[in-house]
Amino acid sequence: MQQSSWNTGSVPGDVRLAFGRVGEGQEPVLALHGITAQHRTFNATARYLEHPDGMVALDLRGRGDSGKPSPGNYGLGRHARDAIRTLDHLSVERGVLVGHSMGAFVALHTALLYPDRVGGLVLLDGGWPRPEEEPDEEEAAAIAEGLERAYRRLDMVFETPNDYLDFWFPGQNLTLEDLPPDLADYYLYDLEKVDGGYTPKASREAAEEDGDSVSSESPTAGALRGIVCPVALVRAEEGFFPDSRPLISDETRDVIAGALDLRLEHRLQGANHYTIMFFEFARQVAAAIDDLLRRIR
């Protein structure tokens, strides 16, 4: 099976938004990536998706090939407006949003602010309710550790793309040729050429500002009850790292199910927060998107 072939485009406006598109139908799903990622997160998912209108996957502002405005121009509200701006650009009146990690929080925020524009949500290992009390210390520490590792690379320069792989897979001496094409393409698109080598395209300032926004502005369980569209939830068995606690526990899942119109859910055995988007796990993610679309259309 061949790798997805993205047709690239952009959304004009105060901040130019780059996107990749697979399929030419009138109602593609809109996919939103995680806090330091970019649209190639959805390489494998788009390839497996059966939805005839395909997918548009956005580079959120501050990431990928999208514009990188100055600090103070990020946060969930701005990303939600960018999502609506993208739906407008695509002439999609009522879209289905797919969000991985932070993208799930952006999708929820968009559904809260613009309920008439969102017809369904697919949350991929993200979008848990913001706790109204102090979070569990072990859980908070695990999230902080995962984010710190993701942020740390944004300040680094790598001599070659293969050196970038050493950051992600230490001691394994991998090259891009060793990876599945979907994953190799993700890592290549993640980098831009600079003096001395390559550096990730994502802005650290954007990621940190958005991290603060998710911590302080993402919806609580009570606020989630204001979202009226159907929802699918796909969660990984493990957290950021192998054998770590999942980011969405069974207890948190129950809170989500009590607050949202949860039409279907999957817990992917053997997947962690990153691998859920690649390998055979992506086939299950795509199947969940297709399933929700069949149920609501």
Side-chain angles (χ1 to χ4, degrees):
M1 186 177 293
Q2 296 298 311
Q3 176 186 339
S4 295
S5 178
W6 296 102
N7 294 313
T8 58
S10 64
V11 181
D14 61 322
V15 175
R16 174 186 172 275
L17 302 174
F19 64 79
R21 181 169 189 164
V22 173
E24 297 297 332
Q26 294 184 346
E27 294 189 6
V29 297
L30 177 61
L32 309 166
H33 60 74
I35 195 164
T36 63
Q38 27 75 14
H39 79 267
R40 303 295 174 91
T41 297
F42 296 94
N43 274 348
T45 303
R47 180 160 56 84
Y48 289 126
L49 195 67
E50 295 179 357
H51 177 48
D53 289 354
M55 170 183 283
V56 169
L58 196 61
D59 283 347
L60 297 176
R61 59 172 60 203
R63 284 83 169 177
D65 288 342
S66 285
K68 298 174 176 62
S70 60
N73 288 285
Y74 299 97
L76 292 177
R78 284 184 171 84
H79 290 306
R81 289 193 289 274
D82 286 345
I84 296 302
R85 182 155 60 98
T86 304
L87 293 180
D88 289 341
H89 179 75
L90 299 169
S91 299
V92 174
E93 183 176 346
R94 190 170 172 82
V96 171
L97 307 186
V98 179
H100 172 239
S101 192
M102 189 193 80
F105 292 98
V106 174
L108 288 170
H109 208 71
T110 306
L112 279 171
L113 292 178
Y114 306 95
D116 294 339
R117 300 299 305 276
V118 179
L121 297 173
V122 182
L123 308 178
L124 306 176
D125 216 41
W128 54 84
R130 175 165 55 90
E132 300 185 64
E133 301 176 354
E134 285 297 316
D136 176 89
E137 288 187 10
E138 185 177 351
E139 180 178 320
I143 293 174
E145 181 185 4
L147 289 177
E148 193 281 329
R149 182 169 182 261
Y151 291 169
R152 188 169 71 248
R153 80 185 198 281
L154 303 182
D155 299 324
M156 300 171 68
V157 174
F158 303 88
E159 187 174 348
T160 70
N162 287 334
D163 292 325
Y164 188 44
L165 296 185
D166 289 338
F167 174 87
W168 289 108
F169 307 99
Q172 297 188 37
N173 297 316
L174 293 176
T175 68
L176 290 169
E177 289 72 24
D178 295 323
L179 300 179
D182 289 326
L183 194 54
D185 179 71
Y186 170 84
Y187 285 121
L188 274 176
Y189 184 80
D190 209 40
L191 295 171
E192 62 183 347
K193 195 79 170 65
V194 296
D195 290 342
Y198 298 82
T199 194
K201 293 176 180 175
S203 158
R204 179 163 185 146
E205 290 82 3
E208 290 180 339
E209 188 170 326
D210 286 338
D212 291 342
S213 179
V214 169
S215 296
S216 62
E217 299 175 341
S218 61
T220 63
L224 286 180
R225 294 187 178 92
I227 295 175
V228 297
C229 65
V231 178
L233 173 66
V234 182
R235 54 192 178 117
E237 181 185 26
E238 301 173 334
F240 289 110
F241 312 105
D243 301 320
S244 61
R245 291 174 57 178
L247 297 183
I248 301 178
S249 66
D250 290 343
E251 294 76 14
T252 301
R253 173 266 165 211
D254 291 344
V255 175
I256 292 173
L260 296 173
D261 179 11
L262 193 59
R263 300 291 180 91
L264 63 103
E265 59 177 305
H266 298 281
R267 184 171 183 262
L268 301 192
Q269 301 294 321
N272 66 36
H273 185 67
Y274 297 115
T275 61
I276 191 175
M277 300 306 301
F278 291 96
F279 313 107
E280 283 299 306
F281 301 122
R283 189 190 298 271
Q284 298 176 69
V285 168
I289 298 170
D290 285 324
D291 193 354
L292 184 69
L293 289 167
R294 284 190 291 268
R295 293 178 188 224
I296 65 178
R297 290 184 171 176

